[in-house]
Amino acid sequence: MRLESRKKIGLSLIALCLHSGLILTQFAPAQEPGPQVGRGAVPGQRGGFMQLPVDPRVQMRSYLFKDTNEEIEYALFVSSKVTKDKKNPLIVTLHGLGAGPAIMLRGSALDLAEEGGYILVGPMGYNTRGWYGISMKGFGFRGAPPKPANSTGSDQPSTDTAPKPKPSMFGGADDPPNLNELSEKDVMNVLDIIRKEFNVDERRTYLMGHSMGGAGTFHLGVKYASIWAAIAAIAPAAFTLDPDSLKAIRDMPVMIVQGDADTLIPVANTRRWADKLKELNMTYEYNEIPGGDHGSVISGGNPGIYAFFGKHSKPASH
């Protein structure tokens, strides 16, 4: 990749991080009426920087992530229409940078999931900046900083007693070097947990996400194509992904939602993905919301996404 392109992507990612607080504010109760304080602020978001109330209809759960021997959270909503004696549709929803697993399970998303009889689950992705398996190395968003040298210039640990940097949405000193791998694996672990607990319809299992989660939707949608009946990306921060990757999922229905007033994810970048869907003659919908910004497109796009998912299921196996 050319240096100029890397610089542009890096600046876009920095802008995305710096404005994440605004994104979450836009997705707070003022945008999505109805949420009340449940367990209080989202706990343990592993690098998240802003806390919002959890809707009381959402269960905050955790499981032991054996790779690191840590408890990792995920958010879960189960429609009252879900029963053990029938197959039930499932949506895996991926949060944006710095947000946390409960952010996509709010307001209209829960109303639509209830109406459609869905199980709706939001994985953490190991922490709030994991990128769901997408490599962001080279853009200042990965792993621990270089080990400081002492005054003699050796490679022995420094005796400096200054406070160590705390984890943040920009990357933390405690981020493992294989964060991408762990982030992707956490999503698939949570999917396995839900499949074991509930009677999930393998023909109606869907993937969606916003911003970082939108990019993750493209990545995991392609990598695990056999799982998903359809995928939907909202304002995807797919800076380092290639739209040509869609060639691998020509038969999968894809929806993209983008605001034309989004100052964080340029609409021109997302249109490249929509153009590729058209070029490949895929089953798709592209919803470009007039005046939509990076945060408002979540609630604005949800009705169309749920309607899109409702129209598509995998063919019955013979």
Side-chain angles (χ1 to χ4, degrees):
M1 185 183 295
R2 292 182 177 179
L3 179 60
E4 294 82 1
S5 298
R6 292 173 67 88
K7 286 181 178 178
K8 288 180 180 179
I9 294 172
L11 290 173
S12 297
L13 291 170
I14 290 171
L16 183 61
C17 287
L18 292 176
H19 286 81
S20 290
L22 176 60
I23 296 167
L24 293 179
T25 300
Q26 290 171 330
F27 196 40
Q31 286 286 338
E32 289 278 47
Q36 304 173 26
V37 175
R39 289 180 54 195
V42 179
Q45 289 192 347
R46 302 182 54 78
F49 65 98
M50 182 175 180
Q51 297 179 339
L52 292 174
V54 177
D55 190 293
R57 294 172 288 179
V58 173
Q59 304 174 44
M60 294 304 300
R61 294 183 170 188
S62 66
Y63 76 100
L64 180 63
F65 191 65
K66 293 182 180 178
D67 292 61
T68 61
N69 198 36
E70 295 173 276
E71 289 288 326
I72 306 294
E73 280 194 321
Y74 64 95
L76 177 67
F77 170 79
V78 182
S79 168
S80 64
K81 299 178 182 180
V82 171
T83 61
K84 292 183 178 180
D85 60 356
K86 67 177 178 63
K87 295 283 188 179
N88 303 280
L90 167 67
I91 298 175
V92 178
T93 183
L94 308 178
H95 65 79
L97 183 64
I103 192 68
M104 298 295 286
L105 283 74
R106 301 175 67 82
S108 65
L110 300 185
D111 297 335
L112 291 163
E114 169 60 30
E115 181 181 353
Y118 287 96
I119 303 164
L120 181 62
V121 65
M124 175 68 76
Y126 186 73
N127 68 22
T128 64
R129 54 188 176 273
W131 287 91
Y132 308 108
I134 301 170
S135 176
M136 303 301 291
K137 291 180 180 179
F139 296 99
F141 284 80
R142 277 296 162 266
K147 181 185 290 186
N150 62 18
S151 58
T152 64
S154 75
D155 60 359
Q156 296 300 312
S158 171
T159 56
D160 184 7
T161 58
K164 300 298 185 292
K166 294 182 179 180
S168 72
M169 58 188 169
F170 290 96
D174 65 345
D175 274 351
N178 61 335
L179 177 57
N180 306 124
E181 175 188 337
L182 298 176
S183 182
E184 177 177 315
K185 191 166 187 178
D186 176 39
V187 175
M188 305 314 294
N189 284 350
V190 170
L191 174 59
D192 286 343
I193 290 170
I194 299 303
R195 282 171 154 178
K196 290 176 182 177
E197 180 175 353
F198 298 95
N199 188 2
V200 172
D201 192 341
E202 63 278 358
R203 295 180 56 216
R204 293 185 296 159
T205 299
Y206 308 93
L207 179 66
M208 64 178 289
H210 171 248
S211 194
M212 178 181 77
T217 295
F218 285 142
H219 172 68
L220 298 178
V222 169
K223 187 168 182 178
Y224 301 96
S226 63
I227 295 175
W228 320 112
I231 63 174
I234 308 172
F239 298 112
T240 62
L241 300 179
D242 188 344
D244 277 341
S245 64
L246 294 171
K247 293 177 180 179
I249 55 169
R250 289 174 184 265
D251 297 330
M252 183 186 297
V254 177
M255 184 169 185
I256 300 176
V257 178
Q258 174 70 38
D260 68 2
D262 192 332
T263 58
L264 302 180
I265 307 300
V267 66
N269 191 68
T270 303
R271 286 172 181 166
R272 293 172 54 238
W273 289 84
D275 290 344
K276 182 59 66 172
L277 292 169
K278 182 177 181 180
E279 176 189 322
L280 295 173
N281 197 28
M282 294 176 65
T283 299
Y284 79 96
E285 290 184 20
Y286 175 56
N287 180 13
E288 189 171 296
I289 300 177
D293 58 27
H294 196 60
S296 65
V297 291
I298 304 175
S299 55
N302 274 335
I305 290 173
Y306 277 76
F308 184 76
F309 286 167
K311 292 186 293 186
H312 298 288
S313 60
K314 294 171 65 175
S317 58
H318 298 286

